[in-house]
Structure formats: structure tokens, C-alpha cells
Amino acid sequence: MAAPEDRSAESGTDVDVVIVGAGILGIYQLYVADRAGYSVRMLEQGGGVGGTWYWNRYPGCRFDSESYTYGYLFSEELWQEWDWSEEFAAQPETERYLNYVVDKFGLRPHIRLDSRVTSATWDEDSASWATRTADGFEIRSRYLVSTTGVLSVPQFPDVPGREDFAGESYHTGLWPKEPVDFEGKRVAVIGTGSSGVQIAPMITDQVESLTLYQRTPSWATPLNNHPISAKQQAYLKANFASIRAELEASVTGFLHKPATRNTFDDTAEERRAFYEEIWNSPGFSKLTANYKDLLLRQEANAEWCAFLEEKIRGIVKDQATADKLIPRDHLYGGLRPPYVADYYEMFNKPTVTLVSLRETPLVKVTATGIETSDGMREFDMIIWATGFDFGTGAMRRMGIVGAGGLALGDHWAAGPLTYLGMMAHGFPNLFFPGGPHGASGNNPRYGALQVDFTHNLIGYARDHGFRRIEVPTEGEAAWMAMIEKLRPYSSFQERGQYYGGNTPGKAKRFLLNPGGRPKLDAFMSRAVESGYQGFLR
Ligand code: NA7
């Protein structure tokens, strides 16, 4: 069999594979492609690798998946060498980790930084993609893999006057590399999703005042982070194989142990004790290890929420503020729940104010501050923690044009159409692991399955002499039918980010995979077992 480089030259491509985006999945895709002998080039918009963990460098940014369950599992050597310092590592450590991986496996020479993709066009005759970046770089490849993520295009709300503000202005997802000085400043934070509730408590001791603008309160529960002790470290090192096996088998991608009981199997007293235990447990276990019927039965969820309300009221001294902080329009898991440290506590500081935008809506931003319906407040700094164009934001902006001149941006205008959340009919030889409709759980674990699927499919095509891979219409339709059928069972509220509901002008479509890991596994197995029937030419 000819070497991949020779075949590329024969077909007029520069490389076999172009990967866009040097985040956690892109780096893994690069690793497997490189190791399998493909010629490969990675294009990354940022000035460094890390994706989310490069851009979101705001104070307080950290995992809410346990560090070692989020990191790579493909190399035991890497697992043994890298010591995570905390159960939930902070952004600088994760950025260091991803750089370490890139260097350890010799991947850096393949990566072109500061390379924002502006167009990618499919050419049927040569069965290849021509990709172009903003600085004029052009490259042709047989395969294009977009690992650009679902939370990568920061979003500013449509507020009149936003550009007029004369003070400092930042978005959490575009945080500068240079240190930001909060000392003695009057700071506004807008948004109370994961980013807003992470940054706010981190800066309250430095600022002169902090005003948090909240549209929808979140059910925030303790992250319960802690340093990884020498004993735990030794345990992790000694048990790589079993931990990996457990994570690979886990439906959620976490190590949390699901509860075996329903809410009302327990007495009120037993429930209370269990809820206390869950409150004190790490991160997402509030969802994954809570009572089995938490997301299936409203009364069960309301019971947990009543416990949370009591907790919030117990922590926040001013009950008028506590009232505003308690969600009234969704139960637990109705929106993506954030995990926090010192969040409710910070409202007891005299320098911290909560403004409910539901009670007093935003009117405009001026040169000196923010006006809401109850008046004007002046600031030195505004922090926009207003999230991302979820799901399709990055891919719709990349200028992708598939077979017959089909523009992905238009094709997906009313919502994405995908197969496994990683392929789309009409876009041959394009893969997007970690894309919309792919995951619902610990993202790198789902994403790794999609990277492996992509890699194996490309390998199968190479080994069997095919050069064009496209999901057949029936394959895509079956996946989309599954999404539509199971969507009503999702706990997520339609106006939340997982429906694109935060993005002005965006069609509201469910953007996750409500069938979770079981459906992803089932569809993938079917494709593999059929020898990718209908995919290859
Ligand atoms: P999120 O979770 O999308 O949160 C965005 C926040 O910004 C949320 O509280 C929104 O309120 C608020 N928001 C959005 N638009 C507006 C306007 N127009 N006015 C006022 N407030 C607004 O983004 P994050 O960055 O916090 O988290 C992103 C991911 O990071 C998260 O999913 C995790 O994976 C980690 P709303 O709820 O829409 O009323």
C-alpha cells in the first residue's frame, strides 16, 4: 500500500487531513492522525493551543468535571506523568496540560496558530477541501475535521449603547492574557451562567464594588473542590486501567455512582440526610448521583429544589436578595447548572449588589455605566459573562461550502442537521467531533468517541481505496428523528443556551443529543458493523 504522503501528492492535496481548532478534541484528533501516518495540518485561530482553555482565562475559570476524568485517557504514560493538583483544576493548569500534551507527542510542528478559517470549499473532482485563513494561507486536504467546539463564539447581548462604554470592557470568553487590575474599581458583571458565577466571587475582595446583573437565577450548588492529596494521587496512578474502563463504560462520562433509589422511597428524614450528602459531593454528582427520578418526576425535582432554597436562604442574610437568587421558572437541570465556591456567601458583603433584570430590565449602556428601568449605575469596568453562540456558532462562521455549492451557514440557518453530531449530508469528507447533537455529559469522553469514529472511518476508506465519505440521507434522517423523538424528554428549557435561545435571531432548535451515550453507541456500532454501508465511494 502506498504511503499516505504519496497518495496526497497524487491527488493534488497538500495534506491528508486539516484539523481546525486546537482544543481538547482537536489535539486528540491530531495525535491519532499523526500516529497513523497521515500528513496533517492544524489551523488554530488563537495565539496558543487549548481552545476553551486558551480563551477563557478569566479569574475563577475552572473545570466542573473532575480533572482526571476530563483529561486524556489515550496514553497511560501521560496519565502517570501528569499530576493534576486539584479535583477541579483551574484554567492555567489545563492550558499547561494541553501544551504539555502537544509537546510530549511532538504535535506542535503541525499546528499553525493565529489562523482563523474564513472559507473551506469542497471540490468534487479532486475529492478535497480547499481551506483558507484570514491571513491568506491556503491548504488543500482530502479530509477536513472541524473541532471548533460548541461554546467558542462569545456572545454579547443586543443592548443599546454597548459600544459607547468608555471604561474597561471584557467578555469572559475573550479574556486578555495581560493581568486585569480590579483594585478599587466599580465593576459590573452581566450574566449568571457558569462563567458569571465563577468570576464574581473571585474578585469581590479587590473591587470597590461589584454589581451582578442577573436575568435568570441559576440553581448553583457547591463544586466542593479540593487539592489532590498524595494518597489520592497514588490511587489514581495505581488504577489507570480500571478508572479508564469505568469512564469508558459510563453513560455520563463521570465516575459518580448513580443512586439506586427514587425520591419518595425515602422518608423525609432520610431524604434530608441524602440531600446533605449530595450537597457536599463533587460537581455534577448533584445530577448524576442524585435520586433516580430527579429529572423524571417534577415532584421529586421540586423536593430537591426546596432543599436548595433552604440552603440559599440560610447562606444569604438579606432575604430580599435571597428571593431574587432563587429560580422560579425552572427546576434543577432545567438550565445547565453551574457549580460554585463562595457564590451565595459573597452577597453578604456590603460591596456586592444583585440587580434582577427581570424586575428592572436593562435599558442601555452609556459611556459611564448601565441604565436599568430603576435608574443609572456608574462603573469603571463591565464584564460580559453572557455566554456563547452555542452549538453552531463557530462552524456557521467558517465559510464552509459543501457539495453542489451548499453553504453550511445557510443550510443550518434553521438549526443544524447532523449525523452523530459530527457529520452532515452534503458535506463529504467533513467531520466535526464535539459538534451539535453530539454530547450530553462529560464532553471530552463523548468527543473522544467521535474522534475515534472519524479516525476509524477515514482509515477504513484508506484501506479499501475509497476517497469520498458522506453520510447517506437516511443515516442523517435517522439520527435527526432520534433527536426529535427524545427532545421532549430532555430537562432543558427551550429558552436556554442548549436550544440556542440566548443568541439574538437564532432559530431555537435543540442542540444536544437527548439520547446520550446509549444512542451514540448504538448508531456508531450499526455503521461500523455494516462496513459503513452507504457512506463510501
Ligand atoms: P451561559 O451559561 O450561556 O450564561 C450566559 C449568562 O448570560 C446567562 O446568565 C444569561 O441569562 C445571561 N445573558 C445572556 N444574554 C443576556 C442579555 N441579553 N441580558 C442579560 N443577561 C444575558 O454562558 P457561560 O459563559 O456562563 O457558560 C458557558 C459554558 O461554560 C457552560 O455551558 C459550561 O459548559 C461552562 P439567561 O439565562 O439567558 O436569562
Side-chain angles (χ1 to χ4, degrees):
M1 197 170 67
E5 290 79 3
D6 293 338
R7 261 199 324 282
S8 294
E10 272 171 295
S11 62
T13 58
D14 300 314
V15 291
D16 297 319
V17 187
V18 162
I19 302 168
V20 184
I24 182 129
L25 292 186
I27 293 170
Y28 178 42
Q29 189 84 58
L30 175 58
Y31 167 80
V32 291
D34 180 54
R35 285 302 182 272
Y38 294 97
S39 54
V40 55
R41 199 75 200 263
M42 172 175 269
L43 304 174
E44 163 55 49
Q45 175 173 358
V49 304
T52 288
W53 306 104
Y54 172 82
W55 295 104
N56 290 265
R57 47 182 73 242
Y58 61 85
C61 180
R62 65 173 64 246
F63 286 150
D64 49 19
S65 297
E66 285 79 355
S67 311
Y68 43 89
T69 72
Y70 190 99
Y72 296 115
L73 301 175
F74 65 78
S75 159
E76 169 150 24
E77 199 176 284
L78 171 65
W79 176 275
Q80 296 299 344
E81 278 172 15
W82 185 266
D83 293 344
W84 290 105
S85 70
E86 290 180 284
E87 191 74 358
F88 299 98
Q91 176 273 335
E93 188 169 344
T94 308
E95 191 187 8
R96 276 200 306 280
Y97 171 76
L98 292 170
N99 274 280
Y100 179 83
V101 171
V102 162
D103 290 327
K104 174 177 172 61
F105 297 104
L107 303 176
R108 207 170 287 276
H110 303 302
I111 305 174
R112 189 177 193 272
L113 299 173
D114 300 309
S115 298
R116 182 168 63 83
V117 171
T118 51
S119 72
T121 310
W122 171 251
D123 177 53
E124 197 66 64
D125 292 339
S126 60
S128 66
W129 285 93
T131 302
R132 206 169 206 281
T133 65
D135 64 339
F137 177 77
E138 286 184 346
I139 188 162
R140 189 171 280 280
S141 61
R142 166 92 347 115
Y143 300 105
L144 178 63
V145 183
S146 173
T147 43
T148 42
V150 283
L151 287 157
S152 47
V153 176
Q155 176 172 273
F156 292 93
D158 245 347
V159 186
R162 191 176 56 78
E163 305 277 341
D164 299 340
F165 184 62
E168 292 169 75
S169 178
Y170 304 102
H171 190 289
T172 47
L174 283 172
W175 201 261
K177 276 187 168 171
E178 305 71 41
V180 172
D181 183 10
F182 300 100
E183 211 58 52
K185 291 183 181 155
R186 298 163 302 169
V187 177
V189 174
I190 304 180
T192 51
S194 301
S195 305
V197 301
Q198 278 188 335
I199 190 171
M202 289 294 289
I203 58 174
T204 48
D205 287 339
Q206 299 158 59
V207 298
E208 181 184 303
S209 67
L210 185 133
T211 308
L212 186 59
Y213 288 86
Q214 166 192 275
R215 190 163 67 179
T216 311
S218 297
W219 289 111
T221 53
L223 180 64
N224 295 317
N225 192 18
H226 59 78
I228 294 184
S229 64
K231 192 172 160 208
Q232 188 186 357
Q233 203 69 264
Y235 172 84
L236 291 171
K237 303 296 186 200
N239 290 283
F240 171 70
S242 61
I243 293 171
R244 181 168 70 176
E246 195 173 334
L247 284 170
E248 282 176 351
S250 161
V251 166
T252 57
F254 291 106
L255 295 173
H256 313 145
K257 304 276 180 275
T260 50
R261 301 186 311 281
N262 284 318
T263 305
F264 300 105
D265 292 347
D266 280 355
T267 63
E269 208 173 295
E270 286 165 341
R271 267 199 305 277
R272 227 197 136 65
F274 181 67
Y275 285 154
E276 276 295 341
E277 205 181 291
I278 290 286
W279 173 265
N280 291 308
S281 69
F284 270 97
S285 46
K286 279 82 174 180
L287 270 174
T288 55
N290 212 320
Y291 285 117
K292 277 196 304 182
D293 55 356
L294 177 80
L295 299 183
L296 303 174
R297 216 178 136 190
Q298 283 214 351
E299 303 90 309
N301 199 322
E303 193 77 4
W304 165 242
C305 290
F307 172 83
L308 297 182
E309 173 166 349
E310 210 182 302
K311 282 285 185 197
I312 297 167
R313 290 194 182 286
I315 300 170
V316 179
K317 296 206 173 89
D318 174 39
Q319 289 305 299
T321 301
D323 276 338
K324 291 181 192 161
L325 287 167
I326 294 163
R328 296 288 170 210
D329 66 348
H330 67 281
L331 292 170
Y332 194 75
L335 297 174
R336 198 275 198 199
Y339 299 100
V340 293
D342 301 324
Y343 177 61
Y344 293 118
E345 289 80 354
M346 92 182 169
F347 293 100
N348 294 331
K349 295 185 181 174
T351 48
V352 176
T353 307
L354 179 69
V355 176
S356 164
L357 295 174
R358 294 248 187 259
E359 290 170 11
T360 54
L362 248 172
V363 176
K364 63 173 189 266
V365 178
T366 70
T368 56
I370 297 174
E371 188 182 326
T372 48
S373 62
D374 64 340
M376 176 76 193
R377 292 178 182 82
E378 305 224 313
F379 297 108
D380 304 304
M381 184 189 295
I382 299 179
I383 297 171
W384 299 92
T386 45
F388 301 86
D389 182 350
F390 186 85
T392 53
M395 286 190 64
R396 286 191 62 203
R397 283 169 176 78
M398 273 166 57
I400 296 174
V401 178
L406 185 63
L408 187 80
D410 299 337
H411 186 55
W412 280 6
L417 297 170
T418 77
Y419 169 71
L420 307 179
M422 52 170 287
M423 292 171 80
H425 182 75
F427 299 87
N429 292 8
L430 170 70
F431 303 88
F432 42 94
H437 301 155
S440 47
N442 191 7
N443 283 343
R445 300 281 68 83
Y446 276 78
L449 297 173
Q450 294 175 311
V451 168
D452 291 339
F453 185 87
T454 298
H455 182 65
N456 294 337
L457 180 44
I458 291 175
Y460 188 94
R462 174 173 73 169
D463 296 346
H464 292 79
F466 296 103
R467 57 177 209 164
R468 190 182 190 282
I469 305 172
E470 182 180 11
V471 57
T473 40
E474 316 82 75
E476 183 178 271
W479 182 254
M480 290 308 299
M482 182 281 290
I483 304 273
E484 270 312 296
K485 187 169 164 209
L486 299 185
R487 181 184 52 77
Y489 300 100
S490 160
S491 67
F492 295 117
Q493 300 267 307
E494 286 201 20
R495 58 171 189 74
Q497 58 165 216
Y498 293 155
Y499 280 83
N502 271 343
T503 309
K506 186 161 175 164
K508 280 192 192 173
R509 282 289 174 84
F510 193 52
L511 297 167
L512 293 178
N513 160 17
R517 173 85 191 269
K519 287 292 177 195
L520 194 65
D521 283 345
F523 274 75
M524 283 182 174
S525 309
R526 214 174 301 154
V528 174
E529 282 156 20
S530 75
Y532 305 103
Q533 200 181 2
F535 283 72
L536 301 165
R537 275 212 244 134

